[in-house]
Amino acid sequence: MSLPASSSPAARAALNPGVLPGAGREARKAVLVCAKDLRIEWRNLDNLPAMFFFSLLILVIFNFAFDFASSDFRILAPGVLWVAFTFAGVLSFGHSFDLERDADCIQGLRIAPIDPGSLYLGKMMANGVSMLLVELVVLPLSALLFGADLLPVAAPLGAVVLAHTVGFAAVGTLFGAMTARTRRGDVLLPILLFSVSVPLMISAVKSTSALLSEGTLRGEAATWLTMACIFDVVFVTAAYLTFEYVLEE
Amino acid sequence: MTRPSPARSAARALRLLLPVAVTGLAVGTLYLAFFHAARERVMGDIQRIFYFHAPAGLVCFFAFFVTFLASIAYLATRRPVWDIVGRASTEAGLLLCSIVLLTGPLWARPVWGTYWTWEARLTTTLVLWLIYAAYLMVRRYTDDPDQQARFAAVLGIVGFLDVPIVYWSVRVWRGHHPLVLKVSGGGGLEQSMQHAFLGGVATYVALYACLMMLRVPMGRQEEELRWLRERAAAMRDAGSR
Amino acid sequence: MPDPDPAARPDQLPLVARGLQRRYGPFRALAGVDLHVRRGEFLTVFGPNGAGKTTLLRIVASLIRPTGGTLAVFGVDPRRAPDQVKRRIGLIAHNGYLYGGLSALDNLRFYARLYDVPSAADRADRLLAEVGLADRAGDLVRTYSRGMQQRLSIARALIHDPDLVLLDEPYTGLDQHASRMLRGILEQVSGRGRSVIMVTHHIEEGLGLSSRVAVMTRGRIAWQAEAAGLTRGEMERTYHEVVGAAA
């Protein structure tokens, strides 16, 4: 192995932290971790198919539970959709840390020069993207199944979905990391997630239904969207700051 | 036999005094609630449960605030006492939360004809109950004691940050129906009712203090016992080698 | 044996540990470790299971915090500037820290970028070739044999050209090919002014490459000496004496 004898690149890198300021470098590492998770998913498809399938299954079950044919889709749809999305999310949050358990990869990340917060952001983004991919497919599909027209509200609906997905991913990733190390983690994860994200669930359903019935983001939907953004900021920050304590041994 | 130190005597005195104080305050509040406070115009005597229902909610919130502070203190200092305080406060808070959730239906049924209403404060209390019950569950299911303390601290912080958001979202969801108690014209709480309300608050604060006073030393003893057990096991192993 | 760099200032030593402690409740995994490693040294720490060798390594690698004492890696306290320290340390442990769902090349590229290695992709290619896995570069690590995974994980640990290499029982379960490769790599590494700390309970492996040896037991360094001239027999005798005496 060719190793230079004089001062190593490692030493030089350590002493001169590089051209980019610290924050830029950490942001790049977060994106690196996110890309790594997505690349693993791309090559193995362990997670997304299960998420899609589970979402669709929930839609179907709710149809039998509430008989969509006879009731108005607009009333029930937002609730059903968000239950479907969040339960699919739970699968993703658990899987995200399962894949770090193989060959103890989480230790490999802990000895690497990356902030725990950046690690959190990377995982959170990957979970968020996974949820968004599922939502991107299931939404039009559900519109088709229930004969509704979502196209006129596509853009504002996208904003609502994005804002709330970020929130669920923020909380889900933190709790996913925590419950990866407890007994019955698979049960504790949804318990923690759904208790803490009650406001987000309320907001998701209300803003979606307000949007569907009013056709515009103004009015009620705007209030809820604001709440979701506040939730996102508070919890991404809190999780970013406390993640190192969850990873610690 | 040596005389106990002044600090220990004081602590023992407090341990006897507090339960007495709680009982005294409870009796006092019962009197205030049932005989002193004016009769509410709309709901009648059943309204008097309010003096046991609402103050519990207030003190419960305070208990979870203590958990929040203790959680931060633990992560900053890593001293086990903060972990014990955080856990004790959560348990006390959860008890008070349960009191709110049990007295609510007692009140709701005669007044609104239904045991449960998704009224803002009651719903918020229910969600809080879920969050902090989950806190205790996570503690139970984490084997390593250091990890348990750290996870609990993170939850103590994150859970409390959620409280105002939960409250706001549930209020907006429910369309904000304020509860107004009237005796004779004008809003707000009439003076005799204020007395009863404060009596309730004092009782629950004393109850909280009493519970903490019992639970925190218990927690320290549990910690010490665990320490001694591990030490004994280590010495046994060393001896048998 | 490489001469320690005469210009090395004490605060630039790869490792200075004083009174290092790690407690788990009443149990002291490390009960006060005093150790220093000079530049270019190859230190092997022998000791029975439970002596605290792995704990010591994990503390140096910033995986766990010490509960007492001080530690300076290249003059820096890992708790104060973790990234600075982590960049210069490589760890080879039981687990490979490899993502089974990624290809070998993607694994190395990921770690190279994580460590801010310049020309990450090229370096990954080169290292993959060095460990003889270039022809399987695109295959998922999950499909690799154990020996291949071990070789790849050596490449991963050295991708960022660390100045201090930590080895936790590295020969355990290695096949012949990987064993020889590791020995060859370690010879190169130690011959170029880099420092190595290896912990093992196999006396024969440890002695060959070491410039210094130590014996650890009950959370302390009980004995240390220069390795020059030490025969295997002498080492074994000393080891049993030291470990036996402490029991």
Side-chain angles (χ1 to χ4, degrees), chain B residues 82-93:
Chain B
W82 292 123
D83 177 51
I84 294 169
V85 167
R87 173 190 225 160
S89 197
T90 304
E91 291 172 353

Side-chain angles (χ1 to χ4, degrees), chain C residues 82-150:
Chain C
D83 280 9
Q84 242 188 297
V85 167
K86 287 174 178 179
R87 262 179 232 289
R88 303 179 74 176
I89 293 184
L91 174 65
I92 300 180
H94 307 288
N95 293 311
Y97 307 159
L98 294 169
Y99 292 99
L102 280 182
S103 70
L105 192 58
D106 283 336
N107 263 287
L108 288 187
R109 281 195 179 150
F110 171 68
Y111 279 106
R113 294 202 174 105
L114 203 58
Y115 280 89
D116 292 315
V117 172
S119 317
D122 291 337
R123 175 124 175 108
D125 287 333
R126 233 175 340 118
L127 245 70
L128 210 53
E130 298 260 2
V131 292
L133 292 170
D135 56 334
R136 296 281 304 266
D139 292 344
L140 293 183
V141 168
R142 231 206 324 270
T143 65
Y144 275 19
S145 70
R146 176 122 178 84
M148 291 165 77
Q149 285 185 9
Q150 285 155 353

